Amino acid sequence: MKHAVRAVAASGFVAVAILLLSWNTYFAQLNYAAYDFTLRLAGSIEPTSPTIIVAIDEESLARISAWPWSRDKLAKIVERVESGNPKSIAIDLILDDRTNEEHDRSLSDAISKARSVVLSAHLDTVDNENYWRKPNEDLLQPSVRLGHVHADPDFDGITRRIISAKGPFSAFAIEALRGAGIRPSEEYEIRIDQANVLLPRPINIRYAGDNRTFTHVPAWKVLDGQTGANDFKDKIVLIGMTAQGIPDQWFTPFAEFGQRMSGVEIHANAIETLYADRAIFETSDLTTLASLWLFVALLIVMDRRFEGRRFYAAAVLSGPLLVALSWLLMKYFNVWFPFPPFLAAIVFAVPALEVTKLVRVNRDLDKKIEKLSGQIGGGHERSLQWDARERILSAVPASPERDAWLAIFDDHRSQSTHKKTQHKNLMRSPRHNARWKLDAVDYFNEELVRFLSFNNAILASIEDVIVVSDPAGRVVYQNPATKRLEGYREDPPFAPDYFSSLLNRAGFAADFAKVLSQQETVSEPFVAAKNGRDFFNISISPISRIGVVLSMHNATAQHELNVAKNDMVSLVSHELRTPLTSIRGYSDMLLKYNLVQDKGKEFLGTIIDESARLNQLIQSFLDIAYIESGRQKVTKTDFEIAPVLKDILNVAGPVAAEKGITLEGPANLDGMCAFGDRLLLNQALTNLVTNAIKYSPIHTTVRIGVVNGGGRLRFDVADQGFGIPTEETSKIFEKFYRRGNKETRQQSGFGLGLSFVKEVAARHGGDVSVQSEVGKGSVFTLWIPL
Ligand code: ADP
């Protein structure tokens, strides 16, 4: 919108400026030249008016006598013409003086006998006084019409128009037509209060051509009686001088080669123009202004659309088009469309548009350089707090490796110093001219490329696999580590499918949705690769809202170690349990059959207690090892929650009672059901409840809550116990992790209970977490999907 207003204002300004300029003499001259050019281009036309010229030409002067001729000759010409029955006779000669009385009379007789005669009045100036030279009294008979023959050439000496009325007289051409009984289509005279009032108006002559376009009859032929009987019939006969060298000769638009046209021929052209209604219409200044405005606006629009070479071509081409339009209007509509102001508009507006653009680009460039120099500066690098060379020398004993490090360091240092100097020199330069700007752009460009290749090198040197996808699922980057994977494709398909083809796992599309919608990372350890031999810890993270990155860390070794460890642990546990069972069995028997005495019984009691503890440890461990190894199948069923909770409360009740702890279950479960492995969940919840009792002081309360909502079933076990500091809340779920506080040490345990709970939750697709405050209590939350 702002652009549009600016374009309209700018084009208006240019249009007005050019119009004002076009009123300047030089420009007016150009305009006239263009007018003449267009008229010539429009070409000659075949005259249609019944006009014929009786020409007093060189030959007549040579044959009859030099000018002036005696009036009786003129009288004879009038008589001869009249005898041919013309419509009117118009004499373009000044007859204001008196000559030989007899000759004058013969002319006045001839005129009085003629049906319609038009004589000429000429405006002359003597001593700065204007006066009309009219035919003498004798000739001014009632039937005679008078027309002014005053020429009105433009300041360049070219006659382009006549004025319809001057002083008391209509133009000679108008009177000649009226004398022939023809009325021009336009009114140049109106009646006001019974008097005729002349309307002086310019009439632009549509010249039919150059000299001799109209039929000429030499005057000597008329005098000699050599003309035909029908030569003058129904014609408007103009009698005048055409001989070269007479004063009444003028330049016309057709006078291309400096040849002038006699006044009488100009009258013939004016008569033709009025007769055929072909006066050239000139567009008004307002129309020109409006079209100029529109044209400049069009140039601006074109410049916006087709910047550069196409615009120049269009602008240059519009020049000939304008000339062609002007020619068309002149030829077929007799309208003068002044094209020079439009050409001027092209000449001024095109460079002006370029300059404006240049200024704007320059300003933008300044701003951009300023912004860039803020972002990519030489001085933003963190300065070193130590002498790097010294450090390397003291940290590494002399060796080829140390020398290589030093060489690389020196190289890097000299490069950064060079860059810094370059930046400093650039910024210090006093003149920020166009050359400087280009240098600055080059510098920033280099810096950006350097920065990009640095980043690329970082990504390329990472051992982990990195695959980046845009939100459309198009893979936009894969680092070189990806190439080593089975299933690698240079032009990968839909990213989630591609991930599935790299890894032995489905469901990446759902991960994409989660990552993009919640802007959270999804991670999974030990995902098998396509080849089945390698295992990866993968994470899928959002890159803001513009993409997703999959990173895969090869964890095959760790995975193998885990498998081996688990195998070994369960193997060892099995092997341990067998002798343990015998130890317990035989100890029990020794006690039962009273086979040992006093102190021995006490020792046996300790053996039995310790072997029970060991058995407990092995059992807990096996539980986890089993479930982790995947050998323990999770059998999910729908079961009611209330009886399970009742069981738990029954088991935990006595332990709680010992410490005076109140156990509170949910008030009303209304036949609420869970879908999962009943035994595993029972055991997990029991672990949470017994922990709550274990790690709470006496006479407190442990509450168990069940919430069903949001597609999840949530169990909360809240106590008023010792609490867990925030930094340890994630560690307590690790295997064998026990807190080191006094309260924990007083309780027996192996640090396996919570890792079992975590594993059970994970196997159900849920999770366990804790909210705790030291000294106030904790809330453990276990949830599983419904
Ligand atoms: P343990 O056999 O030691 O109970 P767990 O895995 O069940 O092993 O728990 C790990 C550690 O977490 C415990 O040693 C204890 O310090 C802490 N803990 C567990 N439950 C609670 C609780 N409700 N309140 C305070 N500390 C707890």
Side-chain angles (χ1 to χ4, degrees), residues 691 694-695 719 724 732 737-739 744 749-751 753-754:
N691 272 355
K694 264 162 67 178
Y695 303 111
D719 61 43
I724 304 145
I732 53 170
Y737 188 84
R738 302 202 73 211
R739 287 196 54 218
T744 301
F750 311 111
L754 287 180

Side-chain angles (χ1 to χ4, degrees), residues 117-310:
V117 172
V118 182
L119 296 182
S120 44
H122 189 264
L123 190 62
D124 242 341
T125 313
V126 170
D127 298 335
N128 279 335
E129 287 272 332
N130 286 343
Y131 76 101
W132 283 102
R133 287 175 68 188
K134 292 189 285 188
N136 65 51
E137 300 286 297
D138 297 345
L139 303 179
L140 279 178
Q141 294 157 26
S143 63
V144 168
R145 291 170 176 275
L146 260 187
H148 83 80
V149 290
H150 191 262
D152 268 293
D154 288 314
F155 67 82
D156 59 352
I158 295 179
T159 304
R160 297 185 178 86
R161 65 190 65 80
I162 55 168
I163 308 295
S164 66
K166 264 209 172 157
F169 308 109
S170 286
F172 186 72
I174 295 178
E175 288 300 343
L177 276 170
R178 284 185 186 145
I182 301 165
R183 283 168 62 95
S185 66
E186 199 160 329
E187 285 299 342
Y188 299 107
E189 202 176 58
I190 48 166
R191 264 192 97 73
I192 298 175
D193 294 340
Q194 299 185 345
N196 282 350
V197 177
L198 301 180
L199 303 174
R201 280 184 193 154
I203 300 165
N204 294 324
I205 305 169
R206 168 54 169 110
Y207 282 91
D210 205 351
N211 290 337
R212 304 196 70 87
T213 303
F214 293 87
T215 317
H216 278 53
V217 178
W220 69 264
K221 276 195 178 171
V222 182
L223 282 170
D224 272 13
Q226 289 193 22
T227 47
N230 280 334
D231 279 358
F232 303 119
K233 185 154 174 45
D234 292 336
K235 294 273 160 67
I236 299 171
V237 184
L238 294 173
I239 303 171
M241 305 266 294
T242 63
Q244 289 289 314
I246 55 145
D248 185 24
Q249 290 207 321
W250 312 91
F251 289 112
T252 70
F254 275 94
E256 206 178 348
F257 307 109
Q259 225 189 357
R260 297 198 236 194
M261 187 180 269
S262 61
V264 69
E265 278 184 280
I266 293 179
H267 292 309
N269 275 295
I271 290 169
E272 171 68 27
T273 301
L274 289 166
Y275 179 84
D277 193 18
R278 270 203 209 108
I280 294 168
F281 174 79
E282 278 184 62
T283 48
S284 71
D285 283 344
L286 207 68
T287 318
T288 311
L289 178 73
S291 346
L292 255 178
W293 194 323
L294 214 80
F295 181 67
V296 178
L298 192 80
L299 281 178
I300 294 177
V301 170
M302 281 204 313
D303 182 43
R304 288 258 156 83
R305 277 272 157 86
F306 322 107
E307 230 187 279
R309 233 181 299 159
R310 279 194 300 166

